[in-house]
Amino acid sequence: MQQSFDSDRFRQALGTFTTGVTIVTTVDAAGSDVGVTANSFNSVSLAPPMVLWSLARTSTSLAAFLAARYFAVHVLASDQQALATRFSTRGADRFAGLNPARGADGIALLDRCAARFECRTAFQYEGGDHVIFVGEVLNFEHCEREPLVFKRGRFALAVGKMPAPHQAGVAQASAADGAFGEDFLMYLLGRAYFQLYQRIRPEILRRNLGDAEYLTLSLLGVRDGRTVAELDSLLAYSGTRVTEGVAVRLAELSLVELDGTPGDGRRLLLTAFGRRSVVELLAVAEAASADAEKSLDPSESHVLRQLLASLVEASNPGIPHPWQT
């Protein structure tokens, strides 16, 4: 006897299994392109090479796939989330602007995917409220792009885990009781910041700037014309103070013009030389960041930024961001 399930909880339980995201394409009887987003893709056999996927009986595309002799499965790359959303949206013009290549029977072949499989329809099976399609793989392509994944009802990125120290061949000494260990968050964040900052510090010193002057210039590059008090508030997280002396020093270096009487309400306006200096310093910082990220793939870099942004928000005592008005 079939057990009764809470469908929502059953769906949540299935969502703990992380899957890839695919778009499956074919053509209908009129020769029009048909495509759907599916995360029910799996391999069946290596010899002969066969794969399967399933489609809900309620799908408006079901008739086309039931009649199709061929279909193509595209494993999406991490930057193709918008495409996945488009092909799962009812009423959307799914192939607008894509100009795809063509496979057997003229099926659309999308580019820039992590992998693509051109298949001949081999079998179709009843699968409850879905139909299961099994295809014999006739052609395939793949590249080293990171895949888009689906987890707990939303898109995600696949990020490789760091190997355990013994796997990496690195001997790690245990931390003494009461001391921070190698994965202590503040140590990792602090060391990463200071090591990166040392890469750009020579350029800062070459321009006769101190830390406060450099950070002030950076904030003015985001939005010009801030007051001394505003700049000081924005840098409260760093422990660096923006004072009247910092403003005067930047004016002496011809990087800013001072508007108003001395005090917290005085505004700093970048000169043409100052704005050019901000751009040059930003280029140095971007180069240092890009060099540091060479060991990361794009999805890891994206996840790193997301996690750091979450940490900033979780620990923020109320300090505004530089981009806020």
Side-chain angles (χ1 to χ4, degrees):
M1 183 173 66
Q2 184 177 358
Q3 184 176 352
S4 177
F5 287 113
D6 180 317
S7 59
D8 288 336
R9 292 190 64 196
F10 183 53
R11 187 179 295 108
Q12 291 169 7
L14 292 174
T16 62
F17 181 66
T18 301
T19 66
V21 183
T22 71
I23 289 175
V24 188
T25 59
T26 192
V27 290
D28 62 17
S32 299
D33 287 323
V34 178
V36 295
T37 299
N39 67 327
S40 55
F41 172 70
N42 213 332
S43 62
V44 176
S45 169
L46 296 178
M50 304 185 82
V51 298
L52 67 78
W53 68 287
S54 65
L55 183 62
R57 291 188 175 279
T58 56
S59 173
T60 57
S61 302
L62 180 62
F65 282 103
L66 286 172
R69 296 189 300 163
Y70 300 93
F71 61 83
V73 180
H74 306 79
V75 179
L76 298 187
S78 59
D79 61 350
Q80 293 183 305
Q81 178 178 333
L83 201 60
T85 301
R86 184 201 298 191
F87 274 78
S88 63
T89 303
R90 286 183 180 271
D93 187 353
R94 297 179 177 181
F95 291 89
L98 293 183
N99 192 27
R102 296 292 168 178
D105 270 7
I107 58 173
L109 303 178
L110 310 179
D111 61 5
R112 301 184 66 250
C113 301
R116 184 175 67 205
F117 303 89
E118 296 178 60
C119 305
R120 178 186 64 83
T121 302
F123 306 103
Q124 298 175 1
Y125 296 107
E126 301 293 322
D129 58 1
H130 281 60
V131 175
I132 300 169
F133 296 89
V134 178
E136 179 186 359
V137 179
L138 305 177
N139 269 308
F140 72 93
E141 294 182 4
H142 77 102
C143 65
E144 297 304 317
R145 305 184 73 204
E146 288 297 314
L148 181 67
V149 300
F150 197 71
K151 179 180 70 173
R152 298 189 185 278
R154 63 181 183 177
F155 296 112
L157 298 172
V159 179
K161 293 182 67 175
M162 287 290 290
H166 68 276
Q167 294 173 320
V170 179
Q172 300 285 352
S174 298
D177 290 341
F180 62 77
E182 61 182 298
D183 62 348
F184 183 54
L185 180 62
M186 292 182 66
Y187 163 73
L188 294 173
L189 291 174
R191 180 159 180 170
Y193 168 76
F194 284 112
Q195 287 181 179
L196 281 172
Y197 191 60
Q198 290 307 312
R199 298 285 300 276
I200 64 175
R201 190 170 176 78
E203 185 65 20
I204 295 171
L205 296 177
R206 188 181 71 79
R207 296 169 184 269
N208 297 315
L209 298 173
D211 291 344
E213 287 82 15
Y214 166 69
L215 292 172
T216 300
L217 273 182
S218 299
L219 291 175
L220 291 172
V222 175
R223 194 173 76 247
D224 201 2
R226 300 183 194 265
T227 66
V228 171
E230 288 171 340
L231 292 163
D232 187 51
S233 174
L234 289 170
L235 285 179
Y237 69 89
S238 69
T240 300
R241 301 302 306 272
V242 180
T243 64
E244 176 69 16
V246 171
V248 171
R249 174 62 178 159
L250 289 172
E252 290 173 348
L253 293 170
S254 301
L255 295 166
V256 303
E257 294 178 349
L258 303 180
D259 181 30
T261 58
D264 288 350
R266 195 178 221 180
R267 295 191 178 276
L268 283 69
L269 303 168
L270 287 171
T271 62
F273 174 62
R275 185 159 295 283
R276 185 169 69 251
S277 297
V278 168
V279 172
E280 291 169 353
L281 286 167
L282 177 61
V284 174
E286 289 280 8
S289 296
D291 188 56
E293 289 181 284
K294 284 181 179 177
S295 61
L296 305 177
D297 61 50
S299 63
E300 289 174 324
S301 180
H302 183 72
V303 169
L304 174 63
R305 284 170 167 77
Q306 285 187 325
L307 294 176
L308 290 175
S310 296
L311 278 176
V312 168
E313 290 306 315
S315 60
N316 189 0
I319 300 170
H321 295 291
W323 304 271
Q324 292 176 338
T325 56

